[in-house]
Amino acid sequence: MKKKNDVPRTDEELLEMHRQERTRHRRRRIITLVVVVAVVLVAVAVGVTQARKSISAQVSSSEDSAIQSAEVTVSSISTTVSGSGTLADEDVESVEIPDSLEIADFYVEEGDTVSEGDLIATVTNASILTAMSDAQASLDALDEEIEEAADDEVEEEITTSVPGRVKVIYAEEDDDVATVMYEHGALMLLSLDGYMAVDVASDALTVGDEVTVTDSDGDEYDGTVEEVVDGTATVLITDKGPGYGDEVTVTDSDGSEVGTGTLYIHSSLAITGYAGTVEDLEVSENEAVDAGDTLLTLTDTETSANYDALLKEREETEELLEDLIAIYKEGGICATVAGEISSLSEDSGSSSSSSDLTASMTDSSTSSDSSSGYTTVATISTNENMIITISVDETDILSLSEGQEATVTIDSIGEDTYAGTVTEISTTAESSSGVTSYSADITIDKTDDMLSGMSASVVITIEGVDNALLIPADALHQTSSTAYVYTEYDESTGEFSGMVEVTVGLTNSSYAEITEGLSEGDTVYYTESSDDSSSFDLSSFGNMGGMSDFSGGMDSNSGGMDNNSGGRGEMPGGN
């Protein structure tokens, strides 16, 4: 049964009802959204206020604890370069014997102390006698060769083996032949084929073209194009007259200038020599000569290169014989200086033959070059100085110089320091993993406690100032144009004031020298450099986690909005 008011409605009335229902839903959603947003904003404001208070408190506490004050003091300041290395004996004397000798016995051991002249080792009697005999025989043979070479002479005349024309003479009377050769590479130059040549850049000339060549004096010579290669023409003229190296101008048959160039000898011969002094010049420039003609005469031609070499060899043999005789008379090999035996040849002994000794010494790290005729059998440290080699970064190497003072500490000895000096700086770079470094040697006086191989640390003083006004490096503020410090600090506001511009002198990692702007006893305020001072506890932000809850509420309401929205599709006759 229908109610009284249950009146059938038309489609237009039903549509209007749906529209009114949708409007009510929309209003409810808007009201809900406004309420949620208002609650969220209130929560954010409260959270931010709490966070600010927390951070402010922590910053204030942190800054108060890092604020430092310091008085300007008078003291010394310096910049340094540091490094480490190992100790090594610096003054080491090598004891050498001729290769032909055979060691009989050693009378010392490594680490023994010896005085100059003390016996180190003996040699076999047979080897010393044989060596002296061989040395004397060598001298006798050399004397015969020297006598023969004394008659050798450089030719007193320098001639030409081919005909030609003298174009350049470098040598003059009284010149040393070797000096002229060193400076010019020749004593004179001859032209062999009768032509001088000049190269000019031209695309208009072809092989066989006739041209005119005018020299710097205005003299003209008929020329012919010999060849054209890559736009460059080679023109030939007679070698009788024009000067070597003269600047000339080339014109074509029409009188038009083709180009300019420098004359050179088309086919030349260098006249050379190696010894003597020029006595006379027998020819002049532009003079024609025949094969066999004399060009120069020389003096001081008696000594030849072979003669000089033989004399040098005899001097070396004389020294060898003198050393052998000294060993024979002294009964063995003696220390040449006082000191400590730092090394002995390991393979030398009574059973070693002369050839074995030479081979073993060549392989030893302490042996000298066997080609010199001597072998090192022992080394003696004079115990005066020790040396430490350190590695220096490329950014610091230019600040080092020989003579700079250094402070050395040796780990094995203790905390004592030793005065050192930079004695050598290497200019040869060493690279490792992209880092370039150089080495520097520091020399110190040796003490009884110092042993080769001990680890040492070195601090080199690069620059220093005494009686300087100093402040902590952290107190100095610098810009591209000025430097300043703060001389006042307000604890209530946490602000610096009293900014004073200063002039900065020497600085290092700890202190800065002030040359102008402050006086001794002035106080500066600064914030101490520390990573901890910028660290704050952000746990207080946890109270703002409610924001996510509110956001969740927004999502729920939004979800509701979607559901309402979805409801639209269920309306009768959904659009």
Side-chain angles (χ1 to χ4, degrees), residues 165-181:
R165 185 179 301 278
V166 179
K167 293 305 299 179
V168 184
I169 299 177
Y170 294 117
E172 298 180 0
E173 291 184 4
D174 298 326
D175 277 353
D176 176 67
V177 170
T179 300
V180 177
M181 288 294 299

Side-chain angles (χ1 to χ4, degrees), residues 205 210-214 249-259:
L205 297 178
E210 295 182 353
V211 296
T212 300
V213 177
T214 305
T249 302
V250 178
T251 54
D252 60 18
S253 57
D254 296 331
S256 300
E257 181 177 325
V258 176

Side-chain angles (χ1 to χ4, degrees), residues 501-524:
E501 290 192 6
V502 295
T503 302
V504 183
L506 193 63
T507 62
N508 57 30
S509 60
S510 301
Y511 295 97
E513 177 195 7
I514 304 300
T515 59
E516 291 183 11
L518 295 175
S519 302
E520 182 180 4
D522 289 348
T523 300
V524 294

Side-chain angles (χ1 to χ4, degrees), residues 310-323:
L310 289 172
L311 286 179
K312 183 177 181 180
E313 185 178 351
R314 193 183 196 286
E315 290 177 3
E316 293 174 351
T317 307
E318 287 175 2
E319 293 177 1
L320 172 61
L321 181 58
E322 290 175 2
D323 292 340

Side-chain angles (χ1 to χ4, degrees), residues 370-392:
S370 61
S371 64
S372 65
Y374 287 82
T375 296
T376 298
V377 295
T379 56
I380 303 175
S381 172
T382 59
N383 287 330
E384 294 179 358
N385 298 313
M386 300 206 83
I387 193 169
I388 307 105
T389 301
I390 64 171
S391 178
V392 181

